[in-house]
Amino acid sequence: MDIIKHDFIKCGITGWCLEVFWTGFGSLLRYDRKMTGTTSLIMFPIYGMAVCLKPIHSIIKNKNLLIRGGVYTIFIFTAEYMSGSILRELNMCPWDYSGSKFNVSGLIRLDYAPAWFVTGLLMEKVITKKIIG
């Protein structure tokens, strides 16, 4: 149980850091020299749920990078859509992709697939490497 808790925390922190980097880089692309990056406290448990990739990883660990990344991307899109739907019902969703050309219900952006592909592979490393203990 402790390892699941540690992996949940590692995934939550990793996700937060990636989101701050992503939004900060987006600020730079919009010529914001402050490169302000943001996230929400709500995102920690959502990113922490990447711990659920561990049993998926044990099934696909011998597959090639493209298959593993593709499976993780589908998992992440599904989790983003489901969590976003719940949060939207509670008027708590910190993201809204309605203005994006490739959005699905304003909850996911299909053009983010490459970013989620890389993020899934990074989370794979986070959940399979022993860092604490």
Side-chain angles (χ1 to χ4, degrees):
M1 189 62 156
D2 281 345
I3 192 67
I4 293 172
K5 193 173 7 172
H6 286 126
D7 286 343
F8 183 88
I9 292 168
K10 289 189 301 184
C11 290
I13 290 171
T14 300
W16 263 351
C17 291
L18 288 171
E19 185 166 345
V20 169
F21 175 81
W22 181 263
T23 57
F25 186 71
S27 293
L28 177 64
L29 293 177
R30 290 186 306 278
Y31 305 105
D32 175 3
R33 292 177 41 175
K34 294 179 187 175
M35 295 178 265
T36 304
T38 61
T39 190
S40 165
L41 291 175
I42 293 169
M43 296 309 296
F44 182 83
I46 293 171
Y47 287 123
M49 290 304 296
V51 74
C52 295
L53 293 175
K54 200 165 200 166
I56 295 168
H57 169 73
S58 67
I59 296 168
I60 64 172
K61 65 184 174 189
N62 296 322
K63 302 293 183 191
N64 71 43
L65 187 87
L66 292 175
I67 291 173
R68 292 193 333 270
V71 168
Y72 298 146
T73 301
I74 292 166
F75 175 86
I76 292 168
F77 272 145
T78 302
E80 184 178 32
Y81 189 90
M82 290 172 55
S83 61
S85 295
I86 293 166
L87 290 171
R88 182 184 281 168
E89 284 297 313
L90 299 171
N91 199 31
M92 296 174 63
C93 191
W95 69 91
D96 179 5
Y97 299 137
S98 299
S100 170
K101 181 178 179 181
F102 299 105
N103 84 85
V104 176
S105 303
L107 296 171
I108 62 173
R109 287 184 56 165
L110 298 177
D111 56 325
Y112 279 5
W116 290 134
F117 182 95
V118 171
T119 300
L121 293 171
L122 177 65
M123 289 298 193
E124 174 186 79
K125 297 298 180 198
V126 169
I127 60 176
T128 59
K129 300 295 180 202
K130 187 174 178 182
I131 297 174
I132 300 173

